[in-house]
Amino acid sequence: STVFMNPNIVTHQDPTTFSGISYLGLGDRHMFDRRINSFGVFHVFLFGTDFSDGLRMEVQVNAEFGSVGVAENIARKYSWLVGQLPYVLRTSINSLWIHRGRELFGGGNNSLLIHTDQGDLYEAYGFLEEVLVHEAVHASLDRDHASHYYWLLARQLDANFISDYSRDFPEREDLTESFLPWMALRYRRDRLSDELAGTIMKKMCYR
């Protein structure tokens, strides 16, 4: 996956649009949990997150974390990270679903799915921000672009895939796998080796 091609495309030192968080109380929310591989109704701590560009989302932290204080620290951490994403990747994210567990993150249904033990693992290896970019593409761009005529045409014309993951699951992963390399090449070129930048340009016929 292109998520793991470079841990410095987005770093914790990069700016964020996160501007504040407020506790909204306890409530029940319909969320996905990969530990049971199913949707369910969960009792959660609720937080409202504001971003400086006017966007807002609700952070839903599973009550299994035990206290408002612990839940707020988690909500604040991931709100900061989401605030580092490009505006286009946040426009359709209405909520974060946060659970314990070492399960893969997910994106869709206008939400990002986060399992904090897995998040700690991503963070330890330096790829947490890049994973969030990938999942945010699922949440914000897939619906309008992944099956769009011009995207499918571009995929046909370049005759390449940027990763094995996009090659093996083109209908589901080609757009998401392509966004991060494009973003890196266009906005973080100084963080890429010449070899990696050349590979991206060759595989994606970048113009």
Side-chain angles (χ1 to χ4, degrees):
S1 173
T2 58
V3 163
F4 306 112
M5 68 182 182
N6 185 316
N8 298 313
I9 296 171
V10 186
T11 72
H12 194 69
Q13 288 71 42
D14 287 326
T16 181
T17 56
F18 169 71
S19 61
I21 192 168
S22 57
Y23 179 54
L24 304 176
L26 284 164
D28 293 328
R29 291 292 187 271
H30 190 247
M31 307 158 67
F32 192 83
D33 185 338
R34 210 180 288 279
R35 293 171 298 182
I36 59 174
N37 203 34
S38 178
F39 281 94
V41 176
F42 296 87
H43 201 49
V44 294
F45 297 105
L46 297 170
F47 301 89
T49 291
D50 293 299
F51 300 99
S52 59
D53 51 19
L55 296 180
R56 183 176 174 82
M57 70 180 182
E58 184 177 81
V59 185
Q60 303 162 5
V61 183
N62 195 313
E64 66 187 339
F65 287 96
S67 73
V68 174
V70 171
E72 181 171 345
N73 286 338
I74 294 167
R76 186 178 295 274
K77 171 183 177 176
Y78 281 99
S79 294
W80 171 279
L81 293 167
V82 170
Q84 293 184 303
L85 300 176
Y87 180 87
V88 69
L89 297 188
R90 291 181 289 112
T91 53
S92 296
I93 298 175
N94 297 330
S95 59
L96 300 186
W97 301 334
I98 302 181
H99 307 282
R100 293 190 188 277
R102 184 169 287 185
E103 304 290 341
L104 296 178
F105 284 20
N109 300 283
N110 301 111
S111 302
L112 296 181
L113 169 66
I114 293 163
H115 286 278
T116 57
D117 298 304
Q118 184 70 27
D120 292 343
L121 188 63
Y122 289 141
E123 188 171 28
Y125 285 99
F127 296 104
L128 178 57
E129 295 87 355
E130 287 75 19
V131 170
L132 289 170
V133 170
H134 179 101
E135 300 303 344
V137 174
H138 280 307
S140 290
L141 299 185
D142 272 1
R143 182 181 301 144
D144 293 331
H145 300 286
S147 299
H148 194 282
Y149 169 78
Y150 287 113
W151 179 260
L152 299 179
L153 178 62
R155 189 170 75 200
Q156 179 181 350
L157 291 174
D158 69 28
N160 275 305
F161 291 97
I162 193 60
S163 69
D164 292 347
Y165 193 34
S166 61
R167 180 200 64 206
D168 293 344
F169 304 97
E171 304 307 320
R172 192 184 76 204
E173 298 296 342
D174 190 43
L175 178 64
T176 50
E177 284 289 280
S178 299
F179 187 93
L180 189 64
W182 169 81
M183 186 181 92
L185 195 63
R186 183 155 187 175
Y187 297 105
R188 298 287 192 273
R189 175 62 183 84
D190 60 321
R191 303 183 187 186
L192 300 177
S193 68
D194 290 341
E195 180 182 8
L196 180 54
T199 297
I200 295 170
M201 286 189 283
K202 180 181 179 181
K203 291 290 186 180
M204 298 177 66
C205 297
Y206 181 81
R207 296 292 184 268

